[in-house]
Amino acid sequence: MIITDFPRDLLMTGAIFGVAAFVWAGWAQERPPKHWIWRVILAVLGLGGAALAGISLPAAIRNWSEPTAISVGTPAFIVYIVVFWLEVAAMIALAIWASRKKRQDLIPVFVLAVVGIHFVPLAWVFVQPMYALVGMVLTGLAVLIGRMNETPIARSFWCGLTAAPVLLVAGIACAVAGFGALGD
């Protein structure tokens, strides 16, 4: 499921997924359940994401001269840029739509779905099947959370509580594979 041909990319994936886990754990702090344990769980997920980024990013920088699946000017790079900007445009459009419909509670759900969907084409760009798996899981979570009945607990809590560990585990797996491929 993890291809180790591009260890630098795996280390960057660890760093990016770590930051993403940190961000989702933070967003989940909007109206979580009252019990203090949820704050502890979110803090652990957030700190885990920050630690993963803090370990992976310097290693990626040290190994920047290693081969990468995405080089400027290649078809993979062009697809990456197009997917990135489509993702940004979709998130903005969906956030505006949700705000106009007075359904701001759906914004984190839409963001999670778009992030999940964008990983599917990036699996091809980065030659990394793990991205497609992560994308399908995140998109499935977004669909389930979007269909939940409204409660005092914010949808952003459920999005963050579920997305952060998925990204953290996938990021750790990629970083470990990257370090292993480099022999670090």
Side-chain angles (χ1 to χ4, degrees), residues 7-8 11-12 53-64 66 175 178-179 182 184:
R8 179 187 98 178
L11 293 171
M12 278 305 298
I55 292 167
S56 300
L57 185 58
I61 292 168
R62 278 193 313 274
N63 292 284
W64 203 253
E66 290 291 318
F179 280 115
L182 291 169
D184 287 352

Side-chain angles (χ1 to χ4, degrees), residues 81-95 114-115 118:
I81 295 298
V82 169
V83 168
F84 171 80
W85 284 111
L86 285 173
E87 172 188 26
V88 170
M91 284 192 263
I92 291 169
L94 289 167
V114 171
V115 167
H118 106 283

Side-chain angles (χ1 to χ4, degrees), residues 11-47:
L11 293 171
M12 278 305 298
T13 298
I16 293 166
F17 281 20
V19 169
F22 177 82
V23 169
W24 278 107
W27 201 352
Q29 306 231 9
E30 177 189 8
R31 286 195 344 262
K34 298 285 185 208
H35 198 279
W36 61 268
I37 193 69
W38 295 109
R39 299 275 186 190
V40 171
I41 291 168
L42 295 175
V44 168
L45 290 169
L47 291 172

Side-chain angles (χ1 to χ4, degrees), residues 48-121:
L52 176 59
I55 292 167
S56 300
L57 185 58
I61 292 168
R62 278 193 313 274
N63 292 284
W64 203 253
S65 61
E66 290 291 318
T68 180
I70 182 170
S71 298
V72 175
T74 63
F77 181 77
I78 293 166
V79 169
Y80 171 76
I81 295 298
V82 169
V83 168
F84 171 80
W85 284 111
L86 285 173
E87 172 188 26
V88 170
M91 284 192 263
I92 291 169
L94 289 167
I96 290 169
W97 179 86
S99 294
R100 286 188 177 162
K101 295 291 185 183
K102 307 269 190 255
R103 291 300 313 267
Q104 291 90 338
D105 65 306
L106 292 176
I107 292 173
V109 175
F110 290 153
V111 170
L112 184 58
V114 171
V115 167
I117 291 166
H118 106 283
F119 279 124
V120 176

Side-chain angles (χ1 to χ4, degrees), residues 130-173:
M130 167 73 92
Y131 285 16
L133 176 62
V134 170
M136 289 185 285
V137 170
L138 293 178
T139 303
L141 289 168
V143 169
L144 291 174
I145 294 165
R147 296 183 54 79
M148 290 172 59
N149 292 328
E150 288 191 53
T151 69
I153 299 165
R155 288 183 201 271
S156 57
F157 167 76
W158 296 111
C159 288
L161 181 69
T162 57
V166 169
L167 291 162
L168 188 59
V169 168
I172 289 169

